Amino acid sequence: MSHDISSDINTKAGFVAVVGRPNAGKSTLLNWLAGEKLAMVSKKAQATRKRMNIIVMYENAQIIFVDTPGIHEKERLLNRFMLHEVYKAVGDCDLILFLAPAKDRLDHYRKFLEINTKKRPHIVVLSKTDEVSDEYLLKKINEYKTYQDRFLALVPVSVAKNRGKEELLKQIVKHLPSSAWLYDPELLTTSSIRDIYKEMIRESIFDNVSDEIPYETDVVIEKIDELPGLDKIEATIVTEKKSQKLILVGKGGTTIKRIGRDARIKMEQFSDKKIFLDLFVSVKSGWSKNKKTLGEMGYHFD
Ligand SMILES: Nc1nc2c(ncn2[C@@H]2O[C@H](COP(=O)(O)OP(=O)(O)OP(=O)(O)O)[C@@H](O)[C@H]2O)c(=O)[nH]1
Ligand SMILES: [Mg+2]
């Protein structure tokens, strides 16, 4: 009789890609599951630009979630990079969470099924269930059930109402491969402090300026001096146009001060250190349409 080696391992571990349309609630879901604010979140769509691993320990399992940008089709090179990030995450994972707000029509799900060409196993997560009635939710669940031969499980959740967490984690663990843990169980993310601080500044930009500016802006962390109890950070906000720079700075520097203060508060909460943040704004026309400048911002096609 053959001996199944996996039965000797009593731990589980694996990569779980979290995908869905922009604004579906992916990053919010992961912060909630981790119990820590790690990924940037915004009311505005297309907030996440790059994959981010968020590690959650549950029972005997190490779940390495991969937050991804929302699935959308825009021609600009930065947007193509974002879609490339989704494909990478889907191609490299053990399991996918497809996340859709309960209100959504199933078009996004059908689109996802097309993208999942390698037919990786997936769980459907219905998010923001607090936005619909029980009756509506039941109707929606039945619509998804017409596809039940395609998914492993369907789990409704609401972060706002703190509902569905245990059920979701149990379903994920059930479908993870047996494996030794892949990272130190204390680790929350594989992102560098540089990337986390960058996202905190980007989140503050999304919160404080409107129209196209958040989409035509990015952040470069120039320098971090890590001292005992204090991080000194220099960062540049890069934008496309002079007029956008003027808005980002604001009258008498009020807007840039607000962005800086909001970001500093997030950084201090995260690192438990005092933060000195020096923010500059520079204009680099065409940065989001050029492979080289995208690379300089940390967006490498690989
Ligand atoms: N009512 C309600 N709103 C939610 C819930 N989860 C997330 N949201 C809101 O949905 C918006 C989008 O959340 P994100 O987590 O940034 O969504 P995302 O899918 O990561 O978006 P992209 O990164 O742009 O693809 C934010 O305003 C969240 O506060 C929920 O359970 N209920
Ligand atoms: Mg996101």
Side-chain angles (χ1 to χ4, degrees), residues 74-299:
K74 277 205 184 129
E75 266 309 296
R76 190 172 58 146
L77 196 63
L78 174 61
N79 298 86
R80 295 216 316 263
F81 169 82
M82 287 159 73
L83 196 60
H84 173 82
E85 289 286 278
V86 179
Y87 281 109
K88 281 284 270 186
V90 167
D92 293 346
C93 71
D94 299 289
L95 177 69
I96 301 170
L97 296 190
F98 171 78
L99 191 74
K103 269 188 190 164
D104 270 16
R105 291 151 50 107
L106 271 68
D107 307 22
H108 297 285
Y109 181 54
R110 286 187 275 269
K111 171 92 197 146
F112 158 72
L113 291 175
E114 276 173 36
I115 282 180
N116 186 19
T117 48
K118 288 190 184 161
K119 302 248 181 323
R120 294 262 188 258
H122 69 276
I123 293 173
V124 174
V125 182
L126 291 185
S127 64
K128 309 191 189 182
T129 56
D130 53 283
E131 291 182 335
V132 301
S133 67
D134 289 351
E135 197 186 0
Y136 183 98
L137 182 60
L138 218 60
K139 198 175 111 237
K140 196 54 78 172
I141 288 172
N142 284 328
E143 280 179 46
Y144 279 96
K145 277 194 176 159
T146 60
Y147 290 90
Q148 65 185 352
D149 54 328
R150 310 290 285 273
F151 55 76
L152 297 169
L154 188 152
V155 186
V157 301
S158 165
V159 176
K161 290 270 159 72
N162 195 26
R163 285 196 301 236
K165 193 191 274 185
E166 290 286 310
E167 169 64 11
L168 179 58
L169 288 169
K170 281 198 186 333
Q171 282 295 342
I172 293 166
V173 169
K174 188 170 155 191
H175 294 104
L176 274 194
S178 293
S179 159
W181 293 339
L182 304 169
Y183 295 98
D184 179 338
E186 298 288 314
L187 198 66
L188 289 171
T189 175
T190 56
S191 291
S192 63
I193 192 77
R194 227 186 175 81
D195 278 345
I196 292 171
Y197 283 167
K198 166 180 169 137
E199 292 298 272
M200 288 173 172
I201 300 171
R202 283 212 313 114
E203 187 177 73
S204 302
I205 295 170
F206 268 67
D207 282 347
N208 282 294
V209 291
S210 51
D211 303 323
E212 83 293 354
I213 296 178
Y215 301 103
E216 302 209 337
T217 301
D218 207 84
V219 172
V220 178
I221 304 287
E222 310 284 359
K223 201 168 138 200
I224 305 182
D225 273 343
E226 295 190 52
L227 305 168
L230 168 73
D231 281 356
K232 284 188 183 171
I233 302 147
E234 275 177 32
T236 305
I237 301 175
V238 178
T239 194
E240 289 275 350
K241 300 182 193 122
K242 180 90 190 292
S243 58
Q244 296 170 334
K245 176 175 171 170
L246 290 175
I247 294 171
L248 280 159
V249 172
K251 228 184 189 159
T254 46
T255 308
I256 187 90
K257 270 189 205 134
R258 210 165 348 109
I259 294 170
R261 188 204 54 206
D262 289 0
R264 183 173 48 75
I265 292 169
K266 296 177 214 280
M267 291 167 172
E268 285 180 343
Q269 264 167 9
F270 176 78
S271 67
D272 235 352
K273 288 170 106 174
K274 197 160 175 48
I275 301 285
F276 285 168
L277 174 61
D278 255 341
L279 266 184
F280 307 90
V281 185
S282 88
V283 178
K284 199 177 250 178
S285 160
W287 71 265
S288 62
K289 302 176 189 92
N290 178 305
K291 230 176 189 167
K292 186 165 165 281
T293 43
L294 280 180
E296 287 164 12
M297 308 286 186
Y299 306 123

Side-chain angles (χ1 to χ4, degrees), residues 23 25-28 39-42 46-49 67-70:
N23 212 242
K26 301 176 290 297
S27 303
T28 305
M40 111 170 228
V41 164
S42 177
Q46 295 172 41
T48 305
R49 290 186 176 157
D67 192 13
T68 68

